[in-house]
Amino acid sequence: MDVVVIETPQLGDRSYLVHDGTVALVIDPQRDIDRVEAAATAAGVRITHVAETHLHNDYVTGGLVLALKHGADYLVNADDHVSFSRVPVTDGQVLHIGRLSVRVVATPGHTHTHLSYVVRDETHDGGTEAVFSGGSLLYGSVGRTDLVSPHDTAALAHEQYASVRRLASQTSPDAALYPTHGFGSFCSIGPASHQETSTISEQTASNHALTDANEDHFVAELLANITAYPSYYTHMSPLNAAGVGPASLDVPESVDAEELGRRLKAGEWVVDLRHRVAFADNHLQGSVSFEYGRGDNFTSYIGWVIPWNQPLTLLGPADEVEQAIRDLERIGIESPDTAVGPEPGALAPDSQRTSYPHGDWSLLAKERAPHDVVLDVRRPEEFEASHVGGALNMPVYELLGRMAELPEARTWVHCATGYRASIAASLLDRAGRNVVLIDARFKDAAGAGIETVP
């Protein structure tokens, strides 16, 4: 048995191609299935089965399209209410895929109908098992339990506690563990580990879901760690239950200068993908900054900040536009328009250009006036841990709906690294506010003489 890992760091997820050298099972594929197909071609195997651990809340699955394209069986929990044909599977069922034995294990918690899959090569008695745990048992923690309904959160946390223990007890200690979430995904919760590989025995010794003997204590700790998650999650599970068609990854022809100018004047969402400092120095008035290529924040935050299902135009260099289209297709934002080019002024020469100042903490220390506002756009738990004295906290994902609460004053915007602050600064600039971007790490503020509390 061989396991090929297909990573999607933009969403903190992994998909898997599991094969015996001839036939393959794919688990939790992303919507851009060409990466899975390339892995299968490289391994010289045929995809005969595609399995979902659950109806995903953080991305649109490519499972249905992949299964239909390859004539593969599509394994989905029999209890999931879906609008397409699938091969229904249930707890305890064992499937045979070439030399592979695949045992289905019910692991409710992340969702009511969550499944895990335990895979073993039948030709090797006692051979190492592989456990594909989706959003159940993760490295260091478990999948969050508040994505189904606020009323179900506590009950699902109790189910999560029982499920991961059942899963661990039904697999061999040396079984390799392959979760889908937990690599930066907002679907994980609690003290998730940054390790790249693990086994059931390692998790039994270190994962708080398996080491905490008090179920009520574990549940209370889990619920206390629940934080906000991207607003686009609301749309993912219904889309996956309905069945979504193939991703469209082609870059459309650029809109012309007149049309781009019209969209800017009409207040449509024109997203500039360039570096945040380049944007601050010179951008088309009315556009917003979602810097592409620095870290893995783009997909989550654009789906979180910009209202769902709004017309979108991506502005930037060809390679970044192409990758951004792929990223957006993964979360159901389909076929955005584009304006491709390295310099926005050339794309809409008759449109007004503008800028706003930016700098590090020393600029704030030197130029902050008494009535200026320091706006911290980090998450509330980050703000509570430490913040600039006198700062206001408004998470970037709440800014559009709460901007009227801010005083009409020069506003210095910061976050932990500058990325979220650049989004917020562009939104404020778009609204005609007097804004300064603090493009610096929050941990450097005190060293620059900025008072931080506590």
Side-chain angles (χ1 to χ4, degrees):
M1 175 176 60
D2 192 16
V3 178
V4 180
V5 180
I6 298 115
E7 296 196 64
T8 306
Q10 296 88 342
L11 295 173
D13 290 327
R14 289 178 176 179
S15 305
Y16 301 98
L17 178 82
V18 193
H19 68 86
D20 65 357
T22 303
V23 296
L25 162 69
V26 178
I27 297 174
D28 288 346
Q30 292 276 338
R31 193 180 187 189
D32 51 330
I33 62 173
D34 57 332
R35 297 182 297 152
V36 175
E37 292 176 317
T41 298
V45 297
R46 180 167 53 92
I47 297 170
T48 61
H49 293 74
V50 179
E52 303 285 3
T53 57
H54 59 294
L55 293 179
H56 301 283
N57 290 288
D58 65 330
Y59 67 86
V60 175
T61 182
L64 177 61
V65 170
L66 184 66
L68 290 173
K69 184 175 179 180
H70 291 267
D73 288 348
Y74 190 28
L75 312 179
V76 178
N77 194 324
D79 291 333
D80 280 326
H81 299 290
V82 296
S83 301
F84 48 82
S85 297
R86 41 76 191 272
V87 176
V89 291
T90 58
D91 180 47
Q93 187 173 347
V94 177
L95 301 97
H96 300 280
I97 302 172
R99 298 199 316 265
L100 305 179
S101 169
V102 181
R103 178 161 51 92
V104 183
V105 181
T107 47
H110 189 47
T111 67
H112 290 293
T113 57
H114 192 284
L115 300 174
S116 296
Y117 299 93
V118 181
V119 183
R120 184 172 62 84
D121 189 330
E122 291 187 309
T123 61
H124 298 284
D125 292 338
T128 301
E129 292 176 322
V131 180
F132 298 90
S133 57
S136 179
L137 183 62
L138 311 182
Y139 295 164
S141 192
V142 293
R144 66 190 302 156
T145 64
D146 62 322
L147 299 180
V148 175
S149 164
H151 304 292
D152 295 340
T153 299
L156 283 170
H158 282 281
E159 288 197 78
Q160 190 75 294
Y161 181 84
S163 288
V164 297
R165 288 168 167 259
R166 176 178 180 234
L167 181 63
S169 70
Q170 292 188 5
T171 54
S172 60
D174 61 347
L177 180 65
Y178 296 100
T180 299
H181 303 314
F183 308 96
S185 169
F186 286 101
C187 279
S188 65
I189 191 171
S193 168
H194 295 290
Q195 66 195 103
E196 292 297 315
T197 62
S198 190
T199 63
I200 292 296
S201 63
E202 287 178 354
Q203 293 305 307
T204 300
S206 62
N207 191 308
H208 69 137
L210 299 174
T211 59
D212 192 338
N214 186 320
E215 180 176 341
D216 289 336
H217 176 267
F218 166 80
V219 169
E221 184 180 60
L222 201 71
L223 298 183
N225 278 290
I226 286 178
T227 58
Y229 56 83
S231 57
Y232 76 84
Y233 275 28
T234 305
H235 306 281
M236 298 298 97
S237 183
L239 285 172
N240 286 324
V244 177
S248 176
L249 302 178
D250 295 333
V251 178
E253 184 178 349
S254 291
V255 298
D256 61 30
E258 181 179 356
E259 174 60 15
L260 182 57
R262 185 201 66 76
R263 294 180 185 194
L264 289 163
K265 288 180 180 178
E268 292 188 16
W269 291 102
V270 176
V271 175
D272 193 321
L273 304 177
R274 296 174 303 142
H275 189 281
R276 54 185 180 251
V277 170
F279 179 91
D281 285 339
N282 178 23
H283 58 272
L284 295 172
Q285 187 169 31
S287 62
V288 291
S289 174
F290 283 84
E291 179 181 356
Y292 192 85
R294 279 173 66 97
D296 302 314
N297 299 304
F298 171 81
T299 312
S300 294
Y301 280 103
I302 198 169
W304 202 343
V305 172
I306 292 182
W308 182 256
N309 205 27
Q310 295 292 306
L312 200 65
T313 306
L314 301 178
L315 185 158
D319 58 337
E320 293 186 352
V321 167
E322 182 177 10
Q323 289 301 313
I325 288 172
R326 178 181 291 267
D327 288 348
L328 295 177
E329 287 281 339
R330 292 175 182 146
I331 62 170
I333 299 177
E334 299 185 324
S335 304
D337 286 330
T338 66
V340 178
E343 211 290 308
L347 297 171
D350 295 331
S351 296
Q352 185 172 347
R353 283 179 276 180
T354 187
S355 63
Y356 49 78
H358 56 86
D360 59 17
W361 292 107
S362 63
L363 183 66
L364 176 67
K366 288 187 297 184
E367 298 189 10
R368 180 182 182 181
H371 298 294
D372 285 359
V373 172
V374 176
L375 179 63
D376 184 336
V377 295
R378 296 176 301 159
R379 295 156 68 98
E381 61 272 17
E382 295 174 273
F383 182 83
E384 290 169 10
S386 180
H387 59 269
V388 172
L392 301 178
N393 180 225
M394 192 175 289
V396 64
Y397 48 81
E398 295 181 359
L399 183 57
L400 276 177
R402 297 179 57 193
M403 199 178 294
E405 299 174 24
L406 294 174
E408 289 284 351
R410 182 168 63 165
T411 303
W412 300 74
V413 187
H414 83 88
C415 62
T417 64
Y419 186 85
R420 287 172 288 178
S422 68
I423 297 170
S426 73
L427 294 173
L428 290 164
D429 175 73
R430 183 175 185 262
R433 297 284 189 134
N434 182 3
V435 64
V436 183
L437 168 64
I438 301 175
D439 184 27
R441 299 177 300 178
F442 174 72
K443 67 180 184 179
D444 295 332
I450 304 297
E451 178 195 7
T452 59
V453 294

